[in-house]
Amino acid sequence: MLKTGIVTRGGLVNKDALVVGLALFAMFFGAGNLIFPPFLGMESGWEWPLGLACFVFVDVVISCIGIVAINQAGGSILSIEGVLGKRPALVLNTAAILCTGVLIASPRTAATTYEMSVAPLLGDWIGLLPFSLLFFAVVLLLALRPTRIVDIVGKVLTPVLVAGIAIMVIAGIVSPLGPVTAPESATVVADGISAGYQTMDILAVVGFAIIVQESVRAAGYADGKSQLAVTARASLVACVLLALVYGGLTYLGATAATVVPHDVNQATLITLITEQLMGRVGLVVLGIVVGFACLTTAVGLCGATAAYLERISGRRLSYRAALISVVVIALAICNLGLTAIIDLAAPILSVICPPFMITVVLMLFRRRIRSTWTFKGAALAAVAASLVLTVHDVTGLFSFVEAAPLFAYGFSWLPPALAGALAGALLGRKFDPRRITAAA
């Protein structure tokens, strides 16, 4: 079969696009993402399709668009730098890597493992502190001496996890846990958007895009046009699969509202749903799978963060020293508990995610954008607007923002970002008329 882009005699989506799409799905669907859709469903009640749509748009659609946009820009880690400039890109990339590898995602993997794999099975026999010490000691050892076990466990457990979720969703559809009732939240749209931010997938698109491009090249696609076509279809495959899985989990949460305590956290909710639908055996299997999946994720995050810090420091900070620092900080944050970590993450991600989102979406139109000023203006305005909105959410100081367009939908940062892009374009035309070139 000749590889003429994505359209072949075998159909619209060829085997290569399907394989890459499944791999991209596995990269996006981490064990940590498992905990947000059911909780969103429980709070959304019969408005769960609306909450799900907002969640999928922010987490799945924008992230998959980012994969395509970065591939179109050359697929290099320099793609963000190519449109924002070296220093702004350094700030944005560093903020993203600190969130994923130090402040939020890494501590959350350990806290999620404790809540889903240890506490339901062992109760109070072991506390969070001793467990987290053991968890991060293993992370440190594996990240210092990478072994194939990390790759093997990751590749085996993702299909097992997805298969288990599929069985659980089917069981929940055939025999619902309870009736879907009125929403518990008055802000379903905002809840869906916030849950989408919490997955932090948008912050990982640069690294994922590089992996996707390497996979597409390895499949034999040499020219940029065919690579982009395969990447686009692979992203569509991942998008559809993620939407289906998240939809099933959100529905399960909506049906569980009348049969679980309303003061449970995200991880406890999914364990209660699992036990109700699949019994104690299902709970044990879920705990084992999630535990190993979170461990491999933590190893990857901590290792990647240490390598990044070593690189930007010009090797003045060694990989070993950076890794130890990352692990110690993540260990300390982990012991705040899962609920506290999620609460801590919400305002941070509400500021960091919007500039990433607007940047990767604008990258789709990079051939029509004259200079980096457009991207800088959009990103800077998105940060400024998101900062004001986040301060208002936390303190209630800036009530005037509630009159802003799209406020009720959680996207009131978007008009200022577009205005910033326009202002940047006008300034760029005057001071920097050069067109953006593809990143190396």
Side-chain angles (χ1 to χ4, degrees):
M1 182 183 294
L2 293 176
K3 296 175 180 177
T4 55
I6 197 67
V7 181
T8 70
R9 294 179 183 177
L12 179 63
V13 178
N14 67 9
K15 180 181 177 181
D16 296 322
L18 181 61
V19 170
V20 175
L22 290 172
L24 183 58
F25 164 80
M27 285 188 282
F28 276 128
F29 187 69
N33 293 14
L34 181 67
I35 67 177
F36 295 109
F39 196 80
L40 175 64
M42 185 181 72
E43 291 191 324
S44 301
W46 59 52
E47 291 186 357
W48 70 267
L50 177 61
L52 171 66
C54 296
F55 175 82
V56 168
F57 178 74
V58 171
D59 176 45
V60 179
V61 176
I62 296 296
S63 296
C64 288
I65 287 174
I67 296 291
V68 175
I70 291 173
N71 178 277
Q72 188 182 61
S76 167
I77 197 170
L78 300 176
S79 54
I80 297 291
E81 184 177 311
V83 296
L84 284 181
K86 189 171 183 178
R87 290 183 180 177
L90 177 64
V91 171
L92 204 56
N93 285 331
T94 301
I97 201 74
L98 289 178
C99 283
T100 56
V102 183
L103 301 176
I104 302 171
S106 291
R108 196 172 69 194
T109 57
T112 298
T113 303
Y114 179 78
E115 295 282 354
M116 295 185 66
S117 304
V118 178
L121 302 177
L122 301 178
D124 297 331
W125 184 73
I126 183 172
L128 178 58
L129 177 58
F131 167 77
S132 61
L133 286 168
L134 176 62
F135 182 93
F136 281 108
V138 174
V139 168
L140 182 62
L141 290 175
L142 290 178
L144 282 173
R145 296 181 179 274
T147 63
R148 288 201 65 207
I149 190 172
V150 174
D151 290 332
I152 293 171
V153 170
K155 289 176 181 177
V156 170
L157 288 183
T158 295
V160 173
L161 181 60
V162 173
I165 291 169
I167 294 171
M168 188 164 63
V169 169
I170 292 171
I173 293 173
V174 173
S175 181
L177 292 172
V180 179
T181 58
E184 297 179 8
S185 172
T187 56
V188 171
V189 170
D191 293 342
I193 292 170
S194 178
Y197 288 159
Q198 286 278 1
T199 66
M200 292 184 286
D201 286 337
I202 186 63
L203 303 183
V205 294
V206 175
F208 289 172
I210 295 170
I211 296 172
V212 167
Q213 187 181 53
E214 290 175 351
S215 299
V216 171
R217 284 175 177 167
Y221 296 87
D223 64 286
K225 186 176 181 180
S226 64
Q227 288 175 11
L228 184 61
V230 176
T231 300
R233 293 302 190 272
S235 297
L236 180 61
V237 169
C239 186
V240 171
L241 291 176
L242 287 166
L244 289 174
V245 172
Y246 290 146
L249 289 170
T250 306
Y251 170 75
L252 291 181
T255 63
T258 60
V259 297
V260 299
H262 288 191
D263 59 348
V264 297
N265 64 24
Q266 287 86 342
T268 303
L269 174 62
I270 189 63
T271 59
L272 292 175
I273 291 173
T274 303
E275 190 168 21
Q276 289 275 349
L277 291 172
M278 304 177 71
R280 189 72 174 175
V281 173
L283 187 61
V284 171
V285 173
L286 177 72
I288 293 171
V289 171
V290 167
F292 278 105
C294 283
L295 177 64
T296 57
T297 299
V299 171
L301 290 173
C302 291
T305 302
Y308 176 81
L309 294 175
E310 180 186 38
R311 182 173 65 83
I312 66 170
S313 68
R315 300 189 180 275
R316 288 188 292 273
L317 180 65
S318 70
Y319 173 81
R320 180 181 292 269
L323 180 63
I324 292 173
S325 300
V326 167
V327 167
V328 169
I329 295 172
L331 170 64
I333 295 175
C334 167
N335 280 274
L336 297 175
L338 181 61
T339 300
I341 294 171
I342 292 173
D343 291 341
L344 172 68
I348 296 173
L349 296 175
S350 293
V351 174
I352 294 174
C353 288
F356 256 97
M357 293 169 67
I358 193 66
T359 299
V360 297
V361 171
L362 285 178
M363 285 175 69
L364 285 174
F365 310 99
R366 61 190 302 280
R367 296 184 186 279
R368 298 180 179 274
I369 296 176
R370 294 188 63 87
S371 77
T372 60
W373 286 59
T374 303
F375 292 91
K376 291 176 181 177
L380 183 60
V383 169
S386 298
L387 189 59
V388 172
L389 290 164
T390 301
V391 170
H392 173 67
D393 287 341
V394 174
T395 66
L397 284 177
F398 306 122
S399 57
F400 64 89
V401 301
E402 296 181 12
L406 303 179
F407 178 81
Y409 301 99
F411 274 97
S412 49
W413 58 265
L414 183 56
L418 295 177
L422 178 60
L426 294 175
L427 289 171
R429 181 170 294 184
K430 181 176 179 61
F431 297 109
D432 185 17
R434 297 169 297 171
R435 287 193 177 273
I436 300 170
T437 57

